[in-house]
Amino acid sequence: MNWTFFHKLGSPKWLYEISSKLLPWFLSIGVSLLVIGVIWGLAFAPQDYQQGNSFRIIYVHVPSAILAQSCYMMMAMSAVVGLVWKMKITDMFIASAAPIGAAFTFLALFTGAVWGKPTWGTWWVWDARLTSMLVLLFLYFGVMSLRNAFDDTNMVSKSSAILILVGVVNIPIIKYSVEWWNTLHQPATFTLTEKPAMPPEMWVPLLIMVIGMYCFFTALILLRIRNEIVNRERKTKWVRCLILDQKAQI
Amino acid sequence: MGPLSDPGPKGSNMRFDSLSDFIAMGGHGLYVWLCYGTVMFTFILISIQPVFKRRQLLREISQIHKREQAQAANGLSSVNDESDGK
């Protein structure tokens, strides 16, 4: 078996370089897709025959919610890999991803509440979908504060990985909450097996927003993971050279 | 809400006739713009934060390096003349 890639992944310098190379691509593609998606969704997509124009909130609500959950699953996978192979990169990813995941969860909850007011007549109900999303937000906060609680890096990575893995229970609850319990929330917009229950001129901009948000999310992770690397590798020669290079550029 | 709004002049799919129509969002303007505004604000915030963090980090580390260099130079200058006086 060829382990070269695996070993490279363990090299912070290589990871820093590849992150720097990929960053402009993800950032520009992500931002362009988001701009296209927002303009399309706000001005060109048809309004919903029941909800009118408040329906347009879907173009920010659904992508945020998808990213909020998918970020958590990525963190959970990193946590497993980190616990088994004791890699530095997985912990750096978790450190970078937790605040971003929290931000997306907050946005999903906030836009959902604002959308709920004109649609359901209330900002908030304590139903399964909304409550489990709130739990997800607290899980992100938990990971973030746990990481600040200890000084020992080993302890930080281990404890946050365990917390993340315990919290994974919440993800299927979020996903199936709309099927298991009676809820105001509508079922999933996109599924892999069925065609969306809306016309293409409605779901195409939504799909663009979802892809755009994935790219934007990746760019944010790359930005933050670079800081993590530099911070942890500050004593090494290559970080020294990097700082000298940066100064020469300014 | 009425049925689908008229798609406007032929060839254009724009769903609003005027800017004020667009801003009003058929009476749902407050909700729609509140959402999009918050998303935009949050996105700007989480994009700027790591950029500032990076600057702060690089400054911090380069100061530490400078201090180390100065210490090393002080320690060495009596022994070694090649330290360039830095």
Side-chain angles (χ1 to χ4, degrees):
Chain A
M1 194 165 173
N2 187 359
W3 289 94
T4 336
F5 177 74
F6 215 59
H7 284 300
K8 267 188 178 170
L9 217 52
S11 152
K13 183 173 185 277
W14 178 83
L15 191 66
Y16 183 91
E17 279 159 7
I18 196 91
S19 305
S20 302
K21 250 181 237 158
L22 292 174
L23 177 61
W25 292 98
F26 278 105
L27 195 61
S28 52
I29 293 172
V31 171
S32 328
L33 286 177
L34 288 180
V35 168
I36 293 169
V38 163
I39 293 173
W40 194 338
L42 276 177
F44 295 95
Q47 56 174 313
D48 186 76
Y49 76 103
Q50 276 179 325
Q51 299 181 16
N53 285 309
S54 66
F55 155 81
R56 298 182 194 283
I57 293 171
I58 200 175
Y59 297 111
V60 285
H61 175 73
V62 168
S64 310
I66 289 177
L67 259 294
Q69 294 164 71
S70 139
C71 174
Y72 197 89
M73 285 316 292
M74 292 181 212
M75 280 167 56
M77 283 186 268
S78 301
V80 173
V81 174
L83 283 176
V84 175
W85 282 291
K86 311 251 180 290
M87 288 169 85
K88 278 191 211 164
I89 172 190
T90 55
D91 193 52
M92 291 183 193
F93 173 80
I94 290 169
S96 313
I100 307 295
F104 278 108
T105 313
F106 161 74
L107 285 177
L109 284 166
F110 182 86
T111 54
V114 175
W115 194 6
K117 187 61 189 161
T119 314
W120 304 336
T122 175
W123 301 97
W124 185 263
V125 281
W126 288 100
D127 85 343
R129 174 55 78 82
L130 280 71
T131 310
S132 53
M133 272 309 267
L134 192 64
V135 170
L136 183 67
L137 183 65
F138 290 146
L139 277 170
Y140 279 123
F141 286 161
V143 172
M144 285 159 70
S145 50
L146 194 59
R147 299 193 65 87
N148 283 323
F150 305 110
D151 284 328
D152 177 28
T153 345
N154 218 346
M155 187 82 166
V156 165
S157 67
K158 221 181 215 169
S159 58
S160 55
I162 291 169
L163 174 61
I164 291 167
L165 290 179
V166 172
V168 164
V169 188
N170 192 39
I171 295 292
I173 296 180
I174 297 176
K175 185 162 169 37
Y176 294 107
S177 55
V178 284
E179 293 165 27
W180 291 344
W181 292 284
N182 250 332
T183 170
L184 286 175
H185 199 284
Q186 59 194 10
T189 311
F190 285 133
T191 53
L192 288 175
T193 45
E194 279 169 59
K195 271 174 83 175
M198 28 166 138
E201 58 265 44
M202 277 181 171
W203 64 254
V204 171
L206 185 54
L207 192 63
I208 291 176
M209 286 297 285
V210 173
I211 299 169
M213 272 217 209
Y214 266 105
C215 294
F216 180 64
F217 169 82
T218 312
L220 288 176
I221 295 289
L222 293 175
L223 264 175
R224 297 179 60 95
I225 216 163
R226 288 195 329 163
N227 288 349
E228 283 291 324
I229 297 169
V230 170
N231 192 19
R232 290 176 196 213
E233 301 286 306
R234 52 169 73 198
K235 294 226 168 78
T236 60
K237 205 174 169 193
W238 73 268
V239 169
R240 258 163 221 266
C241 294
L242 174 89
I243 287 169
L244 288 175
D245 275 4
Q246 291 278 316
K247 275 195 179 156
Q249 277 174 25
I250 300 163
Chain B
M1 280 294 107
L4 283 185
S5 60
D6 198 77
K10 246 194 168 172
S12 152
N13 280 327
M14 186 90 173
R15 301 284 159 174
F16 300 93
D17 297 329
S18 64
L19 185 67
S20 55
D21 249 20
F22 181 60
I23 291 168
M25 283 281 157
H28 286 141
L30 174 68
Y31 305 113
V32 174
W33 295 116
L34 187 59
C35 280
Y36 279 81
T38 308
V39 170
M40 187 132 141
F41 178 75
T42 310
F43 277 10
I44 290 172
L45 216 65
I46 53 178
S47 324
I48 288 177
Q49 192 266 341
V51 176
F52 277 99
K53 168 89 189 171
R54 178 182 165 81
R55 277 194 202 160
Q56 184 207 333
L57 199 61
L58 292 184
R59 211 181 305 131
E60 198 185 300
I61 297 173
S62 90
Q63 268 164 5
I64 293 172
H65 288 171
K66 248 186 229 158
R67 213 175 303 142
E68 280 173 6
Q69 266 173 2
Q71 276 173 359
N74 279 340
L76 283 172
S77 55
S78 52
V79 192
N80 194 344
D81 284 331
E82 284 174 327
S83 54
D84 280 335
K86 267 194 178 178

